[in-house]
Each structure stands twice: as structure tokens, then as C-alpha cells.
Amino acid sequence: MAESMIIRIQSPEGVKRINASKRESAATFLKKVAKEFGFRNNGFSVYLNRNRTGEISASQNKSLNLLKIKHGDMLFLFPSSTAGPSSEVMDTSALTQSSRPTSALLVVEDDIDQYLNKQEGKIYRNRDPQLCRHGPLGKCVHCVPLEPFDEDYLNHLEPPVKHMSFHAYIRKLTGGADKGKFVALENISCKIKSGCEGHPPWPEGICTKCQPSAITLNRQKYRHVDNIMFENHTIADRFLDFWRKTGNQRIGYLYGRYTEHKDIPLGIRAEVAAIYEPPQIGTQNSLELLDDPKAKVVDEIAAKLGLRKVGWIFTDLVSEDTRKGTVRYSRNKDSYFLSAEECITAGFFQNQHPNLCRLSPDGHFGSKFVTVVATGGPDNQVHFEGYQVSNQCMALVRDECLLPCRDAPELGYAKESSSEQYVPDVFYKDIDKFGNEITQLARPLPVEYLIIDITTTFPKDPVYTFFTSSNLFPIENRESLGETQDFHSLATYLSQNPSSIFLEIISDFHLLLFLVTNEVMPLQDSISLLLDAVRTRNEDLAQTWKKSEQWATIEQLCSTVGVQPSELHDYGAIGGSTHAVSSTSMWSCQHCTFMNQAGTDQCEMCRLPRT
């Protein structure tokens, strides 16, 4: 009998074969496994059975023959939670679906995706007293549970649902007898495949192996987000205030969380808790985003508050009658819902925020990033309309194949190939005047083929992640309105909110950003405890942070900016502080504006002498 044998190892990466011998020790065999799978350490376990029983340990002083491992046996590898190939996080749940194609680089999906993966998703119906002829425990075609992707059920909802949820779409792909054995969500690529050596590079040569396929645009049947909900009207009203006061358009980023949308089977809702307004230049008919040096810090603070960037919002408002407070209804079926330029911007943002997906070889597919437009509705009042662009549009934007038309905002234009770039042909289907379906070249392209609409709502019972009152802390980057974020505005805000609960006063998204990003006393390294208190609504944690030296310094800075004595009295009642001092006990550095203690001749911030 031959001494050598081949052992199969099943892992999240797939199945690999290891050459071994019967007399080989378990430790030697595990070293071969680690080398084959690219593990830098022993961050994995190998078992004889799929249910994690019969572990093969390096400490076992036994040969493979004594462990009863034979030629052709299948062993099961489970990476640990802290180590994996190339130091990437592995998704061990994929082992239960080993028949499906998996990528070499697996990622952990978002919490909402992991939750919906575990849900049954069936649509249960009650027994029909007229059509059902069976007993209370029986089922028939009139009352049997429906699949979450049942189109007839979705079309009869009020209002009708044109797009099934993404997880319902996955259930449709993975259903049937094969259970999705061959399902792989491939991302579209419009670029020439690299590594083709049979001809010179483009533009001198191209072949069918490296040439990207032509694209026929279809209306996407599913959507990654099924509903957008603002927690309360205050969030939207404060954003609209800029347009009301200036007449200029405004753009902002939506921060919130993804939750289950129960009105649609396996649906996802984007809940908006705050709007961050980045640096920008806005006019009555244009918007220009500027570089934001604080963007990374804002994302970090939001993450510590349990939030993430879920979308973007912009206004397109033109006043129609100032006396009635009406706005012009301009976006409709006779004009456009999103312009080509806005579709390209939405595609750019969606490509920046991909949706992690275990069924994609790339580890991501589509995006949950949403677009909200504040514009006039049919009743000439401000409406909030939600959209996404399709995965096909994301690919065209990512590979720089789509352009807007200068004189027709409702039309895009697929670029033509040049010596610098090969662009595949892009088509769309239309109906001619005789009622026949025809295929058209996407030059130009109606952007309605790229748009997915999403309902945008406000709850009947408002939700407040952050504190709200009649006196709110100013929003960032509104200097053109005369609204600035400084210690004078902070002192005014504190004096105008006489609540004795410190957590309520400090629970303001824009205030927390100011405390972290201000140039005089940034608290980025010492505010984690306060952010935990706001996220968990823990007043004891907030009181603990309030007693810190950092908050004492903030109070001293507020007391030196000219707050009136009556305001200081209220302010002291708010904070209950014993650290406040008179403005004469500190001096402001002329170089960096840092507030220094009296009696010092050198600035503690810039180390320059007092002048």
C-alpha cells in the first residue's frame, strides 16, 4: 500500500488538496495546511467533522494513520476570529454553504444583512373563508405562505412596490432545487482585462478575451434600500433654513443607520439621525463641493455614536409665491426626476460606499448609499424624494464611460472609444411609434433607465437620537449666514438651555463635532467617554466626563467671550460648574487665539511669547 495520500481541506476559500503521508505527524500536517492557505500563524482549526468535532491539534503526538485519516478524506478548516489569510477577517458562516462560489477574500457583511440572512422572509396569509375548503390546520394555494419576491403580492401592495428588496432578490437566486449552487453576483466592468499577451495593448490591439462585453441597460428589478426615514422634522427643517434665508441651494451628508423595513419583505430602511453640511459654494442654480479637511474626523465621530454615512441630500428649490410660501414644481415625468449630472454624482458616491456581499467574488455588490432631493411637489410644497442609481450606472460612472448632456439635463451620453480609453457599446431598449421594441445606442441616453426611486417618510411618532429645543447649536460651514461655531456661540447655547440634565444639553451632533474639530481646544483624544454616554444615553457617564479637566477648560473659555452676568448665572445652573472664572484671569494669544492662564508669559499652544 502506498504511503503517500491526498487529503482534501474545505475552508471559506474553497477546497484545497494537501499531499501527506500516513506516518506524518499531526503537527507536520498542520504546517503544510498553514502554508497552503497562507496563514502567518496558527489562526485556524482543522476538524474531522463539519460540526467542529474531532479537532486535529498540533499537540497530538500521533500520525495521520493513528488519527484514522485515509486517502481522499475531507477535513474542515475554520479560521479563528482574529487571524486569517493575509490578515483578512473570514466569514465562517460560509462553511454551511460550501457548495456556493466564494471569493478568496471574504468579508463580514453589515449587521442588517446578517440579520436578514437569518430571517425566513415568508409572507404568511390567513385562511380565506370563501376559497379555502380545508380545516384550520391545512394549507392550499389560496393561503400557503408566499415567497418574499412574489411579484403579484408586491404589485397589490398600497402603494405598489416596483422593486423587490435586495435580500428577496437573493432568495430568488438561491431558491429552487440547486439552492443557488452556481450563484455569483458579478460586478460589471467596462475596462479591458489586463494580462492579455496575445496582441499589443490598446489602441493597437484587442481580442475577445480582454474586450469588455457590450452593456444593454435594463431597469433594475431590486433595490438595496427600500425606505428612507428622517427621525423627525427638525432635521429636515434646519437643513432647509439655509435656502429659506439665502435662496441658495444646499448639500449635506446623511448620517444614520440601516434597520429593517417591515412594510416590504426582507426590506432595509435608512434612518437619518443628522445632516452634516460640508464646505461648499451654493448659488440659486448650482452647487460646488469643496475639499473637507474634517471629513475623516466626522466619520470617526459618527461611528463612535453608532452612526454611519447613509446618503446625501441636496435642494433644488425655486420660490414661486413668497406670500403663500409655495415652491415651483419642476421635477416630474415631463422633465426629469434626476438630471444626468446628478446621476453621475450619485453613482460616484455609491462607488465610494459599496455594499459588502458574501455572494460576490469581489466581496461587494451595489451600494446602500441613497440620494435625497428636496424639491417642489405637485402641491407646490417642499417634498423629499429618494433615489438610487442602478448597479449598471455605478459601473459606467466608475469606469468613466458616462457623461452629461450640456443642453438636456434629462439625457446622458455614453462616451466613444478613443486612443486613451476603450468604451464598450451601451444600448437601451425602447418602443417605437409602431409599438415595436427596438434597441438604441445610448448616445444620448434617457437617465430614467438608471434611476431607482425610494419612498422617503417621516414617522408619526418622532424619534430623537440627539437633543432638540428651540435654541440649537449652529450648524457647521454657515459663515455666509453669519452663523459661526465658536466659543461665544457655545456659551450662548449653554445659557439658553436651562435643563439640569447635562446629557441632554451635550447631545447635539453639531456641538459634538465642534468640540472635536475646533482649533482652540480640540477634544478628539479625550471625548470617547462622552460619545459613549450620548450613544447609550447614560447620564452617569456624561456626569463623569463633565468632571474632567477638558470640560473645565471649555467652561473657562466660554466665560471669557463676553457672556453677560445673567447668562453666566444660567450657564452655571446648567453645568453646575465650579470651574468658571472671570475673563480677566485668562489672556488670548495673538498668534493662535488660544486662551492661556493669567500669569503666564508664553502661549501653551504655540510657545510664542505674550504680546
Side-chain angles (χ1 to χ4, degrees):
M1 183 179 295
E3 292 291 331
S4 62
M5 56 183 179
I6 296 177
I7 307 299
R8 296 175 296 164
I9 307 293
Q10 188 182 78
S11 75
E13 291 186 355
V15 178
K16 293 188 178 183
R17 292 168 174 80
I18 308 294
N19 291 315
S21 64
K22 292 184 177 181
R23 298 181 180 180
E24 194 171 281
S25 66
T28 304
F29 174 72
L30 291 177
K31 288 181 181 180
K32 290 183 178 180
V33 173
K35 182 179 180 181
E36 181 68 24
F37 283 89
F39 284 95
R40 298 177 182 176
N41 50 44
N42 295 327
F44 67 96
S45 300
V46 178
Y47 298 89
L48 295 173
N49 304 305
R50 190 190 299 274
N51 60 359
R52 302 197 184 195
T53 58
E55 181 179 2
I56 301 175
S57 174
S59 60
Q60 294 175 322
N61 191 18
K62 295 181 179 180
S63 65
L64 298 184
N65 189 31
L66 293 177
L67 293 173
K68 298 182 179 180
I69 298 176
K70 302 183 297 297
H71 174 70
D73 280 358
M74 175 81 78
L75 304 181
F76 302 92
L77 184 148
F78 287 79
S80 66
S81 58
T82 58
S86 302
S87 300
E88 297 291 344
V89 179
M90 304 296 293
D91 185 7
T92 57
S93 63
L95 286 174
T96 61
Q97 303 167 350
S98 58
S99 59
R100 298 181 185 173
T102 56
S103 61
L105 177 63
L106 294 179
V107 295
V108 178
E109 296 177 322
D110 293 338
D111 292 341
I112 182 62
D113 293 316
Q114 295 183 39
Y115 171 78
L116 292 176
N117 284 337
K118 300 174 183 177
Q119 303 306 305
E120 184 181 16
K122 297 282 188 178
I123 304 169
Y124 287 92
R125 300 181 291 174
N126 296 324
R127 181 177 180 272
D128 193 312
Q130 296 180 348
L131 300 176
C132 296
R133 304 301 182 190
H134 51 76
L137 299 179
K139 291 291 181 182
C140 67
V141 294
H142 304 293
C143 61
V144 69
L146 301 175
E147 296 291 343
F149 48 83
D150 189 279
E151 293 185 6
D152 186 62
Y153 171 82
L154 296 176
N155 290 332
H156 283 82
L157 290 176
E158 187 59 38
V161 177
K162 297 184 295 183
H163 308 277
M164 70 180 75
S165 67
F166 179 61
H167 281 268
Y169 175 70
I170 290 179
R171 297 294 171 90
K172 185 176 182 179
L173 294 179
T174 57
D178 62 351
K179 299 299 181 182
K181 181 178 180 181
F182 303 105
V183 172
L185 299 176
E186 299 280 352
N187 288 297
I188 301 172
S189 176
C190 304
K191 292 184 177 181
I192 297 176
K193 296 180 181 178
S194 60
C196 193
E197 300 177 353
H199 55 79
W202 176 265
E204 281 73 22
I206 193 171
C207 68
T208 55
K209 293 182 180 179
C210 60
Q211 179 183 10
S213 302
I215 299 174
T216 300
L217 298 177
N218 299 305
R219 289 183 174 89
Q220 194 164 288
K221 296 182 179 180
Y222 60 90
R223 55 190 177 188
H224 292 273
V225 173
D226 304 281
N227 179 258
I228 304 168
M229 187 186 77
F230 290 84
E231 287 189 345
N232 53 76
H233 284 85
T234 304
I235 300 172
D237 287 338
R238 295 193 70 192
F239 178 71
L240 293 177
D241 276 344
F242 186 90
W243 173 80
R244 295 190 182 110
K245 294 177 180 178
T246 66
N248 295 333
Q249 309 304 332
R250 196 68 171 166
I251 190 173
Y253 292 123
L254 306 175
Y255 281 87
R257 57 187 70 86
Y258 295 111
T259 60
E260 181 183 12
H261 181 48
K262 297 183 179 180
D263 294 342
I264 295 177
L266 300 177
I268 294 178
R269 165 182 286 163
E271 292 187 2
V272 180
I275 299 178
Y276 169 73
E277 300 179 13
Q280 58 193 280
I281 298 175
T283 66
Q284 293 183 357
N285 53 18
S286 68
L287 280 167
E288 180 185 356
L289 276 175
L290 305 177
D291 291 336
D292 187 6
K294 301 177 182 178
K296 185 178 179 180
V297 177
V298 175
D299 289 342
E300 292 175 354
I301 298 304
K304 292 181 180 179
L305 291 169
L307 306 176
R308 60 186 295 183
K309 192 183 292 183
V310 298
W312 68 300
I313 182 174
F314 65 93
T315 61
D316 182 20
L317 296 167
V318 178
S319 179
E320 186 174 64
D321 191 331
T322 55
R323 293 174 299 176
K324 296 181 180 179
T326 56
V327 294
R328 185 179 302 170
Y329 177 44
S330 58
R331 293 178 181 250
N332 50 59
K333 63 179 181 179
D334 297 324
S335 56
Y336 59 89
F337 296 102
L338 280 183
S339 69
E341 192 171 7
E342 292 160 358
C343 286
I344 293 173
T345 306
F348 172 76
F349 284 138
Q350 288 181 206
N351 282 313
Q352 284 188 326
H353 301 84
N355 175 56
L356 302 179
C357 181
R358 58 188 169 83
L359 293 179
S360 173
D362 301 322
H364 60 84
F365 186 77
S367 173
K368 296 191 189 78
F369 202 81
V370 299
T371 299
V372 178
V373 187
T375 185
D379 56 356
N380 297 110
Q381 299 298 319
V382 178
H383 284 229
F384 292 88
E385 307 293 343
Y387 301 98
Q388 279 192 307
V389 294
S390 65
N391 292 4
Q392 290 180 325
C393 179
M394 290 176 59
L396 293 174
V397 173
R398 182 190 65 241
D399 296 333
E400 300 180 354
C401 298
L402 185 62
L403 298 173
C405 288
R406 179 178 300 177
D407 54 347
E410 73 278 7
L411 297 176
Y413 192 89
K415 290 174 62 175
E416 299 181 23
S417 297
S418 63
S419 58
E420 291 80 18
Q421 179 186 10
Y422 175 83
V423 179
D425 291 330
V426 181
F427 302 96
Y428 68 94
K429 294 184 178 181
D430 199 1
I431 305 296
D432 63 10
K433 61 181 180 179
F434 303 107
N436 300 318
E437 186 179 70
I438 58 175
T439 301
Q440 300 270 42
L441 187 63
R443 300 188 184 115
L445 161 69
V447 296
E448 61 193 49
Y449 285 85
L450 310 176
I451 298 174
I452 303 166
D453 62 303
I454 305 173
T455 55
T456 305
T457 57
F458 291 83
K460 293 181 179 179
D461 299 320
V463 180
Y464 295 93
T465 297
F466 299 103
F467 173 70
T468 183
S469 69
S470 57
N471 301 302
L472 297 169
F473 191 73
I475 296 177
E476 59 283 336
N477 299 311
R478 286 194 174 186
E479 289 78 7
S480 60
L481 277 180
E483 299 178 5
T484 57
Q485 289 187 340
D486 52 27
F487 285 95
H488 185 275
S489 58
L490 175 58
T492 303
Y493 166 78
L494 295 173
S495 65
Q496 291 177 347
N497 289 281
S499 173
S500 59
I501 303 178
F502 178 71
L503 180 61
E504 288 186 359
I505 299 169
I506 209 68
S507 294
D508 184 291
F509 184 70
H510 307 286
L511 170 58
L512 293 171
L513 293 182
F514 169 73
L515 293 178
V516 173
T517 60
N518 74 87
E519 297 179 355
V520 178
M521 182 66 183
L523 302 180
Q524 185 172 359
D525 298 330
S526 57
I527 202 172
S528 296
L529 182 64
L530 178 61
L531 297 178
D532 289 339
V534 174
R535 178 176 54 83
T536 59
R537 297 179 179 270
N538 191 321
E539 174 65 19
D540 293 335
L541 282 180
Q543 289 292 337
T544 301
W545 186 86
K546 178 185 170 185
K547 298 174 183 178
S548 65
E549 295 182 2
Q550 289 78 14
W551 181 247
T553 305
I554 294 294
E555 289 180 319
Q556 290 178 344
L557 292 172
C558 290
S559 68
T560 63
V561 291
V563 182
Q564 298 299 320
S566 59
E567 294 177 337
L568 281 174
H569 176 72
D570 292 337
Y571 168 57
I574 294 170
S577 173
T578 59
H579 300 288
V581 296
S582 65
S583 59
T584 58
S585 63
M586 302 186 72
W587 58 274
S588 175
C589 177
Q590 299 297 320
H591 304 282
C592 66
T593 70
F594 184 77
M595 303 302 297
N596 296 272
Q597 296 288 344
T600 58
D601 296 327
Q602 187 184 54
C603 176
E604 297 178 6
M605 178 64 69
C606 64
R607 301 300 181 185
L608 294 175
R610 180 177 182 180
T611 56

